[in-house]
Amino acid sequence: MRMDEIPFGTTDWDNVERTEHKGDTGVAYWRTRSFGDPKNPIRVRMVEYSPGYRADHWCSKGHILLCLEGKLETTLEDGRTFTLTPGVSYQVADNAEAHQSYTATGAKLFIVD
């Protein structure tokens, strides 16, 4: 990830439009900002998952995730499972290890990809 042409700025996440993304079960609400090169932007998101949310796909996109609230379970295609709780993060490169997320209780994440 290269961070060029991004002037200093702040984001009041409460003022960023919220979009809804349904999972296999539950729903995710994203607040998204994009920065840098429009052809390959850096996407920064505040994401809230409802209780019972399960992603509707295996994701191969690289991310850096930080759990702010709740608990998120992430399973890799090889079967390993990781748990994020407040203050715990993970990072994975593009096309490195496909992953799928689930939360029984709901979760709030800060994500950069």
Side-chain angles (χ1 to χ4, degrees):
M1 167 185 333
R2 189 158 172 88
M3 298 178 70
D4 289 324
E5 300 179 34
I6 303 172
F8 180 86
T10 63
T11 300
D12 180 346
W13 290 100
D14 289 336
N15 290 323
V16 175
E17 179 185 358
R18 185 173 93 157
T19 58
E20 181 177 296
H21 304 264
K22 294 183 189 245
D24 270 346
T25 58
V27 64
Y29 298 102
W30 298 9
R31 296 178 191 272
T32 306
R33 300 277 320 268
S34 294
F35 300 97
D37 181 356
K39 294 179 184 175
N40 190 25
I42 295 170
R43 183 172 63 171
V44 180
R45 297 179 285 158
M46 190 70 69
V47 177
E48 295 180 58
Y49 294 109
S50 69
Y53 174 84
R54 180 178 304 281
D56 64 354
H57 64 285
W58 286 90
C59 182
S60 58
K61 176 100 174 102
H63 315 281
I64 299 171
L65 274 72
L66 171 63
C67 183
L68 301 173
E69 297 174 8
K71 182 176 172 182
L72 184 78
E73 305 287 335
T74 298
T75 302
L76 304 185
E77 273 189 317
D78 66 10
R80 289 179 291 158
T81 301
F82 300 88
T83 302
L84 273 66
T85 54
V88 178
S89 66
Y90 79 66
Q91 55 284 326
V92 63
D94 288 335
N95 304 309
E97 295 176 279
H99 45 282
Q100 185 180 49
S101 295
Y102 169 75
T103 176
T105 60
K108 185 175 186 178
L109 306 175
F110 183 77
I111 305 173
V112 179
D113 51 27

